Amino acid sequence: MNTLFPILYAISGSFKTLPELSNAGSRLIPNDPTFQNYLDALTEANFFQAFTNSVMVTVSATVIGTIAAAMCGYAFARKMVPGSKLLLVLMGAGIFLGAGTATIYPRYVMAQALEINNLVGVVVLQLAEITLLTTFLVRAYCLDMGEEVEHAAMIDGCGTFGAFWHVGIPSMRPILTTAAVLTFQWSWNSFQVPLVFTLSRPELQTLTVSVFAIKSAGGDGFGQYTILLAGAVMAVLPIVVVYIIAQRYFMDGLTAGALKG
């Protein structure tokens, strides 16, 4: 219930008028529900453009990140990478150290030097952050997968990549679904990197950045809270839909990837 209440409160507040939110904010059922907040959010957040940007960034990151995690995790598990122990240590250190506010400026400078200080750069930096984790999950899952069928496929002429594609990928379906959902969630919810990369280019803003901008769009922060809640509800819906669709594989893969190996 502690997790569910903030979501219910946000949904409830998105249908309230500002006076009702300020005077009776704790009441979950609005006295006079209104859809005007959603209409205002669509306009003030430039919703459709921001939504398109978020979809482009998130789909690109999810597809590329899942493929990269599958190939890297499998290669590490099958000891195909020279110096794999050192690389795993460095990757683990990267996960624990993180890539937060302290490194945002040098990362932006590097993106400028590479001329990808745009949505391409946003995708690259998001992949650099989340793919470390998903690679470890895939590797842990692959360590517990039997290699006999893969060896048989290689003997039959499949080759290493053929065994990976025809045997490894189908066997990794639960953990790859988990990796895809985690990457989708991370990329869709990402705020700091898209904010920095689109400060001077509002047309490139993702949905999370655009919704945040509603807070100060009208000059009075509190006066925009009902619209902000409406925008936040619309922004979180894709995450809920993706999780519901992939829930069974997500839970199976997350548990297996965390415990196997």
Side-chain angles (χ1 to χ4, degrees):
M1 189 62 185
N2 291 336
T3 303
L4 187 61
F5 183 79
I7 300 174
L8 295 176
Y9 182 85
I11 296 173
S12 170
S14 69
F15 288 101
K16 293 179 180 179
T17 60
L18 182 60
E20 184 180 357
L21 181 66
S22 58
N23 296 325
S26 60
R27 186 186 300 120
L28 285 181
I29 301 177
N31 287 330
D32 187 19
T34 176
F35 285 95
Q36 187 60 43
N37 296 324
Y38 286 89
L39 298 177
D40 291 341
L42 290 174
T43 303
E44 294 191 20
N46 194 14
F47 185 87
F48 294 108
Q49 180 62 55
F51 181 82
T52 301
N53 293 338
S54 285
V55 169
M56 291 173 57
V57 169
T58 303
V59 170
S60 300
T62 301
V63 172
I64 298 172
T66 303
I67 293 173
M71 298 180 72
C72 294
Y74 182 85
F76 277 120
R78 297 297 181 257
K79 299 179 180 179
M80 300 176 182
V81 182
S84 59
K85 290 185 178 180
L86 176 60
L87 287 174
L88 288 171
V89 169
L90 294 175
M91 290 170 62
I95 293 176
F96 283 105
L97 292 175
T101 305
T103 62
I104 188 66
Y105 178 70
R107 285 186 288 161
Y108 181 74
V109 171
M110 292 173 63
Q112 277 188 314
L114 295 171
E115 297 184 354
I116 56 170
N117 53 326
N118 47 35
L119 292 182
V120 174
V122 173
V123 173
V124 171
L125 288 187
Q126 288 175 349
L127 286 174
E129 295 173 0
I130 188 60
T131 307
L132 291 176
L133 174 61
T134 53
T135 295
F136 268 95
L137 289 175
V138 174
R139 172 183 174 272
Y141 189 92
C142 290
L143 285 174
D144 203 60
M145 283 170 37
E147 301 182 43
E148 294 80 8
V149 179
E150 296 170 28
H151 290 161
M154 292 180 190
I155 292 173
D156 289 340
C158 263
T160 302
F161 183 80
F164 163 74
W165 184 257
H166 294 291
V167 180
I169 290 291
S171 301
M172 290 188 286
R173 186 171 60 177
I175 195 63
L176 293 184
T177 302
T178 301
V181 172
L182 287 174
T183 305
F184 184 96
Q185 181 185 32
W186 180 280
S187 182
W188 186 269
N189 289 337
S190 181
F191 173 75
Q192 189 181 61
V193 171
L195 174 65
V196 172
F197 275 58
T198 61
L199 276 174
S200 60
R201 304 174 70 180
E203 72 277 5
L204 296 182
Q205 287 182 344
T206 58
L207 196 54
T208 52
V209 177
S210 200
V211 167
F212 175 79
I214 293 175
K215 187 175 183 294
S216 56
D220 181 359
F222 185 76
Q224 298 291 105
Y225 272 134
T226 52
I227 304 174
L228 178 63
L229 288 172
V233 170
M234 289 190 290
V236 80
L237 278 178
I239 293 292
V240 175
V241 171
V242 168
Y243 179 77
I244 291 174
I245 293 174
Q247 181 181 15
R248 179 168 66 89
Y249 288 120
F250 177 79
M251 296 307 297
D252 291 346
L254 188 61
T255 302
L259 297 180
K260 288 185 177 183

